[in-house]
Amino acid sequence: MQASLKALDRLHKGVDRFDVTGRTLLLPQMTPFGTRLLAASFRAFGVPAKVLETYKGLAMGKEFTSGKECFPCQVTLGDILYFLDNEKRRLGPDFDPERYVYFLPESDGPCRFGMYNKFQRIVLDRFPEYRGIPITYLSTQDAYSVAGLLPKKKARYFRRVAYVAAVIADVLDRIVWRVRPYEMRPGLTDAFMEEALQAVEKALVIYGPSRNFARLYDLVEDVAKTAATFVDPRKPRRPKIAIIGEIYLRSHPDSNQNIIRQIEAYGGEVVAASIAEWINFVSYERLRKAKKHCAQAWRQGRRAEALRAAKAVMHQRLENGYQSWRQHQVYARVLRHLDIQPDHSVQHIENFLDHDRHFSFDIGTEAALSIGGALAYVQEGFDGIVNVFPFTCMPSTICAAILKPLLLEWRYPYVDAPYDGTSQPNRDVILRTFVYQAQQRQKKRSGHIQTL
């Protein structure tokens, strides 16, 4: 019993929120653009953040997992073990674990992801030389508050900068997806966007502390204006494919075996659900809970508690409004030059759940966004839906169970794409067939053929 208490105490001390200023913050990569801009946002506020190389340590991640975890746990665990192993070899006796902090966010609710930073703490503790490396996190439980990670004043402004950085990363992704299938010369878009990303990283470090977002918007607009010139007007528009599903797998190219490039190679144009959509959903859910708490306290006669809850509602409304305003500003600049796909509001997505007939936000999880988002994409004229997720992911399995029969009834192209690190020999055929079906639907919509 005493040993169990000591282990639990060690777990809580080793996974916590604390001021990370001055220590190297290690970020596992999720979305290539987004993670780098998040690291730049930290650097703007005095934290030397570093994005870990990804997917090179997958064998190590699998060695210390059982297979019951979802795939992102194996990938991120492999990334941190690979980095630490190389760092230890490089520095030799100068290796000091207290120089580093490992950053691994978490979620509340039924998703296993909420326990992975605790699990990875246990794994790191198996190596005596890694026990001094603490793990810190952000959580959906408080809408990704950064309280504790930075001094109070910095934390307040960091969250605003990090949110704008996330939206900019989404927009850069959508510029790539809009331009690359139609570029005049293969590789032109990717090479340019790497240079653009480096410029945005530098701008975030310079202008982030003063929240000079106008300078960032100017830079993003210039990127869009230049990228628009890469489009070959002679190339016909392709069928538009929407990717929904679990946030890590749909965003991490190595984990999903570069599915976006695969679909582009077979003749599709892809748009994936954004990172900001998830952040907005977390904030939206926090508002819903605050409103319910306020109403319940009022009904039960707890007036003081109801007043505090009402203040929380007002605060969250302001926060949500601020996020919507900033997101609109970024997209508006790009849409002057390039017709990228606008992002969905969370309210818009919830409306497509048909008054909870398809699903309910009361249940939560990414299934709520994926189901509503998929139906929104259908209504917006997309020609196919791909559901990308880790093998055995509960929310995405629920999503598949609801969307697949519904879209089959509508004769709408849909495919599930689960991943666990293995190569499925029929995946290529499935995606080729799916894109062909989307092309047929596109022709039907434009009146070129009469049947699907």
Side-chain angles (χ1 to χ4, degrees):
M1 181 65 176
Q2 190 66 27
S4 298
L5 290 174
K6 286 183 178 180
L8 189 60
D9 184 58
R10 167 64 188 156
L11 191 62
H12 286 302
K13 287 182 178 179
V15 183
D16 202 358
R17 290 188 182 181
F18 49 89
D19 191 343
V20 298
T21 304
R23 302 176 74 171
T24 302
L25 190 65
L26 306 174
L27 280 63
Q29 186 186 110
M30 185 170 72
T31 167
F33 288 173
T35 309
R36 285 173 60 177
L37 294 190
L38 176 60
S41 300
F42 272 113
R43 292 196 294 273
F45 287 85
V47 179
K50 176 183 179 64
V51 180
L52 300 176
E53 285 188 278
T54 192
Y55 222 67
K56 293 184 177 180
L58 182 58
M60 301 173 75
K62 290 190 172 185
E63 180 182 353
F64 292 96
T65 52
S66 67
K68 295 179 181 178
E69 310 81 4
C70 75
F71 193 40
C73 180
Q74 296 179 324
V75 176
T76 55
L77 177 59
D79 289 349
I80 185 63
L81 290 175
Y82 179 81
F83 170 81
L84 293 174
D85 183 65
N86 284 335
E87 196 76 345
K88 187 176 63 174
R89 294 172 187 271
R90 182 177 71 87
L91 295 175
D94 293 330
F95 176 77
D96 180 4
E98 295 189 4
R99 293 178 182 172
Y100 312 100
V101 178
Y102 178 36
F103 178 77
L104 189 62
E106 66 177 31
S107 64
D108 58 348
C111 182
R112 292 170 291 180
F113 180 62
M115 295 302 296
Y116 286 162
N117 52 23
K118 285 82 173 173
F119 170 73
Q120 293 191 21
R121 170 78 275 155
I122 294 171
V123 174
L124 290 180
D125 283 351
R126 295 182 63 176
F127 300 85
E129 62 272 35
Y130 300 158
R131 289 176 184 170
I133 301 172
I135 300 176
T136 195
Y137 62 93
L138 300 180
S139 176
T140 58
Q141 194 163 11
D142 56 8
Y144 295 130
S145 168
V146 294
L149 291 185
L150 294 166
K152 188 174 182 179
K153 186 175 181 180
K154 283 187 176 181
R156 175 186 176 190
Y157 295 128
F158 169 81
R159 193 183 187 286
R160 296 179 181 179
V161 172
Y163 178 77
V164 171
V167 176
I168 289 174
D170 290 337
V171 163
L172 294 180
D173 275 327
R174 294 188 177 205
I175 290 173
V176 171
W177 301 332
R178 176 62 183 90
V179 173
R180 189 167 58 196
Y182 310 100
E183 62 189 356
M184 289 182 285
R185 187 175 72 251
L188 181 62
T189 306
D190 288 334
F192 170 72
M193 292 305 291
E194 174 57 31
E195 293 179 1
L197 180 60
Q198 292 178 19
V200 175
E201 286 178 292
K202 292 177 182 177
L204 271 169
V205 174
I206 296 171
Y207 302 118
S210 61
R211 282 90 60 210
N212 189 348
F213 295 126
R215 298 298 294 270
L216 294 172
Y217 299 162
D218 289 343
L219 178 56
V220 172
E221 183 174 357
D222 286 343
V223 170
K225 187 176 181 179
T226 302
T229 65
F230 301 162
V231 176
D232 187 341
R234 296 168 297 180
K235 294 184 178 180
R237 197 67 184 263
R238 300 177 174 200
K240 294 174 69 176
I241 309 299
I243 288 183
I244 58 167
E246 193 270 333
I247 190 169
Y248 186 93
L249 256 291
R250 75 180 189 229
S251 305
H252 191 259
D254 288 304
S255 293
N256 63 42
Q257 298 171 12
N258 283 286
I259 190 170
I260 291 179
R261 289 181 183 273
Q262 279 187 288
I263 292 173
E264 288 177 350
Y266 300 151
E269 176 190 333
V270 180
V271 173
S274 72
I275 301 301
E277 177 187 273
W278 173 254
I279 299 172
N280 294 342
F281 171 68
V282 171
S283 299
Y284 186 82
E285 281 291 274
R286 188 172 174 81
L287 176 61
R288 292 176 81 248
K289 291 176 182 177
K291 289 164 68 175
K292 286 182 179 180
H293 182 203
C294 181
Q296 185 180 43
W298 183 262
R299 286 195 304 267
Q300 295 175 352
R302 294 177 279 126
R303 300 293 186 260
E305 187 176 341
L307 181 59
R308 289 194 297 272
K311 290 180 179 179
V313 169
M314 182 59 66
H315 173 79
Q316 194 60 50
R317 282 189 185 278
L318 291 173
E319 183 70 23
N320 294 4
Y322 177 83
Q323 290 178 186
S324 177
W325 174 52
R326 288 299 187 190
Q327 189 176 31
H328 173 75
Q329 286 181 322
V330 180
Y331 275 83
R333 287 294 197 97
V334 174
L335 287 168
R336 293 175 184 175
H337 308 283
L338 195 62
D339 58 336
I340 63 170
Q341 177 67 24
D343 210 3
H344 297 137
S345 73
V346 180
Q347 178 65 64
H348 182 67
I349 289 174
E350 187 176 22
N351 291 339
F352 280 93
L353 299 182
D354 194 14
H355 303 287
D356 298 340
R357 190 171 70 89
H358 297 308
F359 200 70
S360 172
F361 269 35
D362 288 331
I363 301 173
T365 76
E366 280 170 323
L369 282 180
S370 292
I371 295 167
L375 298 178
Y377 284 124
V378 171
Q379 193 265 349
E380 291 163 3
F382 277 66
D383 298 297
I385 302 291
V386 183
N387 181 22
V388 175
F389 57 95
F391 183 66
T392 75
C393 174
M394 181 196 70
S396 294
T397 302
I398 293 172
C399 175
I402 294 170
L403 280 178
K404 186 180 291 185
L406 185 62
L407 297 183
L408 179 63
E409 181 182 345
W410 296 347
R411 303 184 71 190
Y412 189 93
Y414 169 88
V415 66
D416 287 321
Y419 293 91
D420 63 359
T422 60
S423 297
Q424 299 182 15
N426 61 340
R427 178 67 54 79
D428 183 71
V429 174
I430 290 171
L431 288 178
R432 285 178 181 272
T433 303
F434 165 76
V435 173
Y436 172 77
Q437 292 171 339
Q439 290 169 337
Q440 295 300 101
R441 181 174 182 81
Q442 181 194 34
K443 291 178 181 179
K444 181 182 178 181
R445 285 194 300 103
S446 61
H448 293 165
I449 60 176
Q450 298 301 314
T451 62
L452 184 65

